[in-house]
Structure formats: C-alpha cells, structure tokens
Amino acid sequence: QVQLVESGGGLVQAGGSLMLSCAASGRTFSTYAMGWFRQAPGKEREFVAAIIWSSGTTMYTDSVKGRFTISVDNAKSTVYLQMNSLKPEDTAVYYCAAGQVFTEIPGKYVYWGQGTQVTVSS
C-alpha cells in the first residue's frame, strides 16, 4: 500500500501562486509515476500533470503549460506542483495519485490522496 497526503491548497487571487505538496509513504518503490489531477464542482476529474519518479520526465495538460511545474524530491518521497499565474478556472480540488504507468488517464493510477482545495478569486 501507498499513502498519499496533499497539502498547500488555499485561497489566492487571480495571478497569484500556490505550491501543492504530496508526501508519499509506504511501498513507494512499487510506483513508477505520480500525477496531479483536479476536479471542479459538477465536472469530471481531469489530468493536470505527471512525472516519473526516477527520470523526472514530465507531461502537462495544455491549459497549464508554462504556468504549472511538477517536480519530485526523491529523498523526501514528495511530489510538488508549483502553480503560477493562477486563474479562476483553476479552482478545483486537487488530487495527487501514484501508479505504475506514466499517463494522463486517472483510471490507470492505483493510489490517491484525499485532495486539497484550491480557490482562485477574480
């Protein structure tokens, strides 16, 4: 089992920044990639970014490219999502996930955190 705990959400004005953290514990060696997803009220969960633990290879959804950065600290088993130039449409609950596939498909991830709320005011 792998446990994931997100932190760092909050309320920020449009144009501001937040950094989310996802601390992994347990059998983290069994995972290959980490992803960040978000879900706004009334909408489906959508992919934001993903990273491979060992190589640092990343991918992003188009709407956050150039604004968000995903990174890992292997020594701390922690994944980060630096979010800059935030927009009201970024408002959602953000979830981190871990799995054995580097993908934007949420169903391919095995372990999920509890989520952290990000609210961007206009």
Side-chain angles (χ1 to χ4, degrees), residues 6-82:
E6 302 103 331
S7 60
L11 173 64
V12 64
Q13 289 188 329
S17 298
L18 281 175
M19 186 168 75
L20 305 182
S21 300
C22 175
S25 60
R27 296 173 60 88
T28 57
F29 57 85
S30 67
T31 62
Y32 176 70
M34 297 290 292
W36 283 100
F37 294 80
R38 64 187 181 187
Q39 188 167 18
K43 295 187 176 181
E44 292 187 353
R45 190 167 299 188
E46 66 169 352
F47 170 74
V48 176
I51 190 166
I52 297 173
W53 278 112
S54 58
S55 67
T57 301
T58 61
M59 62 175 168
Y60 299 89
T61 192
D62 286 347
S63 64
V64 306
K65 285 180 181 177
R67 299 190 299 123
F68 290 11
T69 302
I70 188 171
S71 62
V72 296
D73 184 332
N74 282 286
K76 296 182 179 180
S77 297
T78 299
V79 177
Y80 303 97
L81 186 67
Q82 177 66 46

Side-chain angles (χ1 to χ4, degrees), residues 2 4 24 31-35 53 96-100 108-112:
V2 175
L4 303 174
T31 62
Y32 176 70
M34 297 290 292
W53 278 112
C96 69
Q100 296 180 333
K108 298 293 187 181
Y109 287 83
V110 178
Y111 304 102
W112 289 84

